[in-house]
Amino acid sequence: MMLSIENVSYRIGNFVILDQVNAEIRQGDVVALIGANGAGKSTLADTISGFLRPSSGKISLNGSSLTGQPPADIGRQRVSRMFQRQHLAWNMSALENVLCGLDTQSEVSWRKNLFRTYRTASFENEKRERATDLLNRVGLGTKAEMPARNLSFGQQRLLALARSLAHRSDLLLLDEPFMGLKSAALDLTVKLLREELRCGRLLLIIDHSLSIVESIATKFWFMEKGRLTSFSSFASLSGSEMFVRSYLGFGPGEKLRAAETTTNQSCSDLEVSLSIVNSQRKPGRAEVSEVAPPMETDSSFASYIPPTLLALSSLSGGYGSRVIIRNLTLNLLRGDVFCLLGMNGSGKSTLLRLIAGIGKCFSGSISLDGEVIDHLRADERVHKGIRLLLQDHRLFRNLSVSENLLLTAFSEESASMASTGMPLSFAFTPSSTYTNVLRDMQSGISGHDRRLAGTLSGGEQSRVAVKQLGYGRSKLLLLDEPTAGIDGIRKSELITLVKSWKESGLAIVITEHDVDFVLSVATRVAILSDGELDELASVESLTPDRLLLHGS
Amino acid sequence: MSSLTSYVAFILALVLQLALLAQATDLLAGHTGRTGLTASVFAGIAGYFYALATVNLLINPWIAVCLALVSTLPVSLFMGYLLLKLDAQGFLIATFALQVALVDLLRNLTLTGGPLGIRDVPAPSLFVFGGATAGSLLIAIPGLLLATIALTLTLGPRSDLGRLFHWIRDDSKSATAFGVHSQNLLLSAFTVHAIIGATAGISFVIVQTYVGPNSFDLWLSLNILAVVFLSGTGGSPSLMLIGASMLVCLIELVNFAPLRPESVGSLQKIIFNLLLVGILVFQRRGIGGPVLEANPSAEMAE
């Protein structure tokens, strides 16, 4: 078995996304594809799986050409794909989703379904057993009958992985398979992938979790501006200048230190040390343009600062009739960075959504700045200063990056006008938020201002979504897995940004699976388990044993 | 007594026809995510074909039924090939336009009798069963039985074909990535939908002994959609029979209202349109449909 990529390029107009890519995966290889956000990783996966046709070059699997074939034919030729986004059959149960992966292995027809035989029935039973087994192996055995839409983000990732594994393909293309997974689920996933390797499948993994891909991959591809370089070991990759420069964001003088660190430390240690070093460095010219403008804080801070910003009192809530958060009490002060850990499906995202006004509060109360906000709609809570960064970083994909940012400013304007009761058309005078957005656009802060948001890579979309949070008069930021899908440089930037928000007096609640990130920014840490909160005495008491105990 | 029996049989025929049309529409709307008005279009095409074959060409009614159903196949393949290239929203608008165009075409064609349509359409008979209502039931009863069995088997929880339809409905991109030829599967569903709609159309023409351009206009499509949403989109095909029964009973109740005869038709239309809006707003799942939500990630990827 072999996948061969020969001189593959992909361009949109004059914009080169893939530039003469040459590579191959042989039987037994597990390739980790690493690169900064927007380097072209997902585009390469799209050209292999047929969703994009290469401008030039050839891709072949086991000697037969895949170039120019429709994606369904390529999928049928034993290539399966796990997408960066949650591409699941939303209304079908977890079991049915996995069954779908198995269904594509055999002939499906009206005739076969209309004239069922004993053989058809027993084949269906076999498929159900295999699907149930796969669900058990990814830890979703108890969720088999639950619709995919009701699973948590991490559980949906596991389900997508189970479906990909069900498809008996020669080549598995996994785009961010570890995104949003907690350690217990991560262990299961890594174990599962190792088992799959024994079946002789080719594996291409795109992920930013360096410590995990280091432990599983046998070959490393690094992408920088559409060019691919292959490395035989993680040590050779992490010692290379291009990796240090474009992925970790170090200058040439700092290369030696990074390389030394790599040889002496494990990969996750490297991430911590680099992020800390990065956050301590004085910003250079390039970095100044990337740092978001200082958050506009409420001017009332100066006159009166109530001790508690957010107060949750005996809060219970969920979706429909399902209770997910139970009797939760929490007080947050200004400047608190409260990090929530917990296993997939423990209710972290639900808690953020309840505070933001999405979801149903069954009992208890939520107060912001001493004002009860239970009765307020989500948009009214935004006007009160609550901002939520969703896990899938939703942008208006058919608007440009600039337009997405301008919408944030417009929302701020309409909020302030709504409070004064003035009609929008008469009252519009550019505020500092609006001016900040325009200033950033003129200085090209986002790098892709005119591009449609939908054409950005997942990591780049995440950056724009985070940037949106930086504008306007906020009091409380709710960040749901903010590091998901972002590279090392962006993670360091995010750490700096969160610290600057904290300094400006904002309270921040973060759900996060990246413990290193948590240790870098948190002032308080709690573990959410089955909808109940267990706050740790200090951030330092966040030990591996403690995390394991809670399955986080 | 005899008139009561024929009245009940007439109502039964109407219920069966409406249930068939609703099943056809829901196969696309509820199970593959393409809501459209083509069921009444195919009912119209097959109904006219049957009427022309039996009245103008004097072909035996049974042979005409078979010819009408067979003729639906190439038409549905051609129309499906074009229409299924559209997304869900485009599909709805295109089928709406298609129905309006078809009605106007039939109204202006000499071959189809213009606005007056075709009268005295004969009915098929079998043994002692003859006449318009009986002939209509001879088509509608086995038609509905077969359609219900076929759709229940293919869309049920243990059917791989039904799962693939639902996968395409929820997220066609990932289905394609796993080797599912979405267009081919959708085209097969569209063809089956056309055959079921055509069966209802033929039965409808037989019971009325008449076919005209107004027989298959937007009013019929609105009735069909009302049955689909009342029964629950994407639910069990047999539920459509319950929804159709409820709707036809409501129509008949309005007939008994103490109103001037010319007001009855308008009142029926007002009631149904408001009923349709009410179901969509307050009871989206209908009697027994599943909860269907759009996948935000899949929408973003479109």
Side-chain angles (χ1 to χ4, degrees):
Chain A
M1 260 189 273
M2 188 173 91
L3 174 80
S4 161
I5 303 167
E6 296 168 47
N7 295 317
V8 168
S9 295
Y10 182 74
R11 295 182 203 89
I12 301 175
N14 293 327
F15 191 58
V16 180
I17 300 172
L18 295 179
D19 190 6
Q20 299 284 319
V21 173
N22 281 292
E24 62 179 33
I25 308 178
R26 292 180 179 276
Q27 185 151 15
D29 280 348
V30 181
V31 177
L33 179 54
I34 298 166
N37 296 135
K41 305 182 296 296
S42 296
T43 306
L44 181 62
D46 275 343
T47 53
I48 295 171
S49 52
F51 285 98
L52 294 174
R53 192 190 173 102
S55 309
S56 62
K58 188 185 167 192
I59 301 170
S60 55
L61 180 67
N62 300 335
S64 66
S65 173
L66 302 181
T67 322
Q69 287 200 39
D73 285 349
I74 293 176
R76 202 162 276 270
Q77 278 187 18
R78 306 173 80 85
V79 174
S80 67
R81 173 91 185 265
M82 179 181 172
F83 292 90
Q84 195 176 13
R85 289 198 177 278
Q86 307 291 59
H87 281 281
L88 291 168
W90 212 233
N91 297 301
M92 294 166 75
S93 69
L95 181 72
E96 286 173 321
N97 267 279
V98 181
L99 280 167
C100 281
L102 292 166
D103 287 337
T104 50
Q105 303 301 302
S106 53
E107 183 215 355
V108 178
S109 68
W110 285 85
R111 182 183 50 78
K112 210 181 85 183
N113 279 278
L114 286 174
F115 305 104
R116 289 185 191 182
T117 57
Y118 174 75
R119 200 174 150 209
T120 318
S122 62
F123 185 52
E124 172 71 14
N125 288 337
E126 269 175 39
K127 281 198 290 190
R128 282 179 178 266
E129 279 172 24
R130 278 169 63 192
T132 308
D133 177 50
L134 265 169
L135 283 175
N136 285 330
R137 284 164 71 192
V138 296
L140 293 178
T142 55
K143 312 277 181 188
E145 296 305 321
M146 190 179 273
R149 62 172 185 268
N150 289 345
L151 298 175
S152 74
F153 186 86
Q155 288 167 340
Q156 288 174 356
R157 296 304 292 166
L158 289 168
L159 179 57
L161 178 68
R163 187 181 62 185
S164 298
L165 295 177
H167 189 65
R168 302 304 303 171
S169 52
D170 294 338
L171 172 65
L172 266 173
L173 288 175
L174 306 179
D175 201 345
E176 307 269 5
F178 309 117
M179 183 165 65
L181 298 187
K182 309 299 175 283
S183 64
L186 270 176
D187 290 346
L188 271 177
T189 309
V190 170
K191 189 178 159 205
L192 199 58
L193 289 178
R194 288 210 172 105
E195 284 170 11
E196 286 304 316
L197 286 175
R198 289 190 208 120
C199 307
R201 293 164 112 173
L202 307 177
L203 203 54
L204 176 59
I205 303 172
I206 304 172
D207 211 282
H208 291 290
S209 308
L210 298 182
S211 52
I212 300 164
V213 292
E214 181 198 13
S215 70
I216 197 168
T218 58
K219 207 169 173 181
F220 298 84
W221 291 354
F222 187 72
M223 284 208 90
E224 185 188 25
K225 294 177 182 170
R227 285 184 170 273
L228 189 141
T229 312
S230 185
F231 293 89
S232 56
S233 69
F234 186 76
S236 58
L237 167 68
S238 58
S240 73
E241 191 182 334
M242 68 169 76
F243 175 77
V244 174
R245 182 188 64 240
S246 74
Y247 193 79
L248 300 177
F250 281 78
E254 289 156 308
K255 182 194 168 189
L256 184 64
R257 179 174 174 177
E260 281 170 359
T261 318
T262 313
T263 49
N264 295 331
Q265 293 178 316
S266 74
C267 201
S268 78
D269 294 339
L270 171 72
E271 284 172 41
V272 180
S273 57
L274 293 180
S275 62
I276 293 168
V277 171
N278 253 8
S279 62
Q280 288 169 347
R281 289 165 64 208
K282 290 177 184 174
R285 185 182 291 176
E287 284 174 306
V288 170
S289 66
E290 290 293 335
V291 173
M295 182 69 72
E296 293 165 45
T297 50
D298 201 319
S299 57
S300 61
F301 285 178
S303 52
Y304 170 66
I305 302 175
T308 301
L309 179 72
L310 176 77
L312 308 180
S313 172
S314 305
L315 185 73
S316 294
Y319 304 107
S321 57
R322 285 195 309 141
V323 182
I324 295 171
I325 299 297
R326 289 186 186 84
N327 205 26
L328 191 144
T329 297
L330 173 70
N331 287 316
L332 272 190
L333 308 178
R334 283 181 169 74
D336 270 352
V337 180
F338 185 79
C339 285
L340 266 175
L341 300 168
M343 60 193 295
N344 295 119
S346 58
K348 302 183 299 299
S349 301
T350 306
L351 177 59
L352 296 196
R353 284 164 174 260
L354 285 177
I355 298 170
I358 310 167
K360 196 171 170 185
C361 283
F362 300 128
S363 62
S365 73
I366 306 171
S367 307
L368 186 77
D369 251 350
E371 182 188 353
V372 176
I373 56 165
D374 304 349
H375 59 287
L376 297 183
R377 297 189 309 263
D379 58 316
E380 292 169 329
R381 295 188 197 192
V382 172
H383 296 168
K384 293 282 177 195
I386 297 179
R387 296 291 176 82
L388 169 66
L389 174 73
L390 288 166
Q391 207 164 16
D392 50 5
H393 314 306
R394 291 178 202 172
L395 297 175
F396 293 97
R397 56 174 289 108
N398 291 320
L399 296 183
S400 69
V401 171
S402 308
E403 287 165 333
N404 268 285
L405 295 178
L406 276 172
L407 269 178
T408 317
F410 186 77
S411 157
E412 283 293 317
E413 300 296 338
S414 60
S416 61
M417 281 158 207
S419 63
T420 58
M422 292 175 76
L424 195 63
S425 53
F426 295 110
F428 190 82
T429 47
S431 69
S432 54
T433 307
Y434 196 82
T435 316
N436 277 339
V437 175
L438 287 177
R439 189 197 60 205
D440 288 347
M441 282 163 53
Q442 279 160 6
S443 62
I445 190 167
S446 307
H448 304 296
D449 289 342
R450 290 184 188 173
R451 275 179 68 184
L452 293 182
T455 64
L456 298 179
S457 73
E460 288 169 333
Q461 289 189 24
S462 153
R463 287 179 65 202
V464 178
V466 169
K467 196 163 286 298
Q468 281 182 318
L469 287 178
Y471 300 119
R473 294 153 62 87
S474 306
K475 292 177 182 171
L476 173 67
L477 299 182
L478 308 168
L479 313 182
D480 199 354
E481 301 278 356
T483 65
I486 64 172
D487 58 36
I489 299 177
R490 310 301 163 213
K491 200 184 285 183
S492 301
E493 283 174 11
L494 191 60
I495 289 171
T496 312
L497 198 58
V498 171
K499 284 180 175 169
S500 75
W501 285 338
K502 178 190 153 201
E503 293 302 318
S504 63
L506 292 173
I508 306 166
V509 184
I510 303 175
T511 69
E512 186 54 60
H513 68 285
D514 185 334
V515 179
D516 305 335
F517 179 80
V518 171
L519 290 171
S520 303
V521 298
T523 58
R524 293 166 65 186
V525 177
I527 293 171
L528 194 64
S529 177
D530 288 332
E532 289 173 8
L533 206 60
D534 175 18
E535 184 165 356
L536 307 189
S538 69
V539 177
E540 288 71 35
S541 58
L542 184 67
T543 56
D545 291 347
R546 189 78 185 244
L547 286 169
L548 273 178
L549 184 68
H550 291 82
S552 305
Chain B
M1 189 62 190
S2 168
S3 65
L4 180 65
T5 311
S6 63
Y7 171 72
V8 171
F10 180 80
I11 295 298
L12 179 65
L14 280 184
V15 168
L16 298 180
Q17 287 151 17
L18 210 49
L20 271 168
L21 288 166
Q23 284 183 345
T25 301
D26 193 48
L27 172 59
L28 290 186
H31 296 283
T32 69
R34 297 286 197 283
T35 305
L37 312 183
T38 38
S40 48
V41 169
F42 285 111
I45 291 172
Y48 263 96
F49 192 100
Y50 175 82
L52 284 169
T54 50
V55 175
N56 291 13
L57 303 175
L58 303 174
I59 292 175
N60 177 290
W62 283 115
I63 296 172
V65 169
C66 297
L67 286 176
L69 290 177
V70 171
S71 70
T72 308
L73 272 172
V75 180
S76 66
L77 285 171
F78 175 69
M79 276 172 56
Y81 177 77
L82 296 176
L83 292 171
L84 293 169
K85 289 176 186 287
L86 301 169
D87 62 6
Q89 196 180 20
F91 183 81
L92 175 61
I93 296 167
T95 56
F96 175 80
L98 194 69
Q99 177 162 37
V100 173
L102 179 76
V103 169
D104 275 332
L105 181 72
L106 294 171
R107 194 171 280 140
N108 289 290
L109 271 181
T110 316
L111 176 70
T112 56
L116 297 175
I118 302 168
R119 295 181 180 280
D120 301 322
V121 179
S125 58
L126 187 68
F127 307 120
V128 293
F129 301 103
T133 311
S136 173
L137 287 174
L138 283 174
I139 304 295
I141 290 175
L144 185 71
L145 201 65
L146 280 174
T148 306
I149 292 170
L151 293 178
T152 306
L153 282 173
T154 49
L155 302 172
R158 296 185 70 82
S159 155
D160 47 11
L161 185 63
R163 279 195 294 265
L164 294 190
F165 280 145
H166 293 169
W167 193 4
I168 293 169
R169 173 194 68 194
D170 286 358
D171 181 24
S172 63
K173 186 173 179 178
S174 62
T176 305
F178 279 76
V180 178
H181 283 276
S182 307
Q183 286 301 104
N184 293 357
L185 270 184
L186 285 175
L187 193 58
S188 74
F190 190 82
T191 308
V192 171
H193 138 96
I195 301 283
I196 298 173
T199 309
I202 297 165
S203 171
F204 189 76
V205 170
I206 292 169
V207 78
Q208 304 278 346
T209 68
Y210 160 79
V211 61
N214 295 334
S215 307
F216 302 100
D217 62 4
L218 278 177
W219 170 232
L220 177 64
S221 286
L222 282 172
N223 277 341
I224 297 168
L225 288 177
V227 174
V228 170
F229 288 109
L230 181 65
S231 312
T233 43
S236 164
S238 52
L239 281 176
M240 297 297 156
L241 188 60
I242 298 171
S245 309
M246 289 169 73
L247 206 76
V248 170
C249 286
L250 201 60
I251 292 176
E252 291 308 302
L253 281 177
V254 176
N255 280 336
F256 290 110
L259 292 167
R260 285 177 294 153
E262 61 270 25
S263 307
V264 170
S266 300
L267 184 65
Q268 282 176 342
K269 287 186 179 176
I270 291 167
I271 289 174
F272 287 122
N273 289 326
L274 289 179
L275 179 72
L276 182 56
V277 174
I279 295 165
L280 288 172
V281 174
F282 299 109
Q283 186 59 27
R284 188 69 176 76
R285 290 178 58 191
I287 300 169
V291 177
L292 298 177
E293 288 177 16
N295 179 351
S297 295
E299 279 186 335
M300 281 194 285
E302 286 298 319

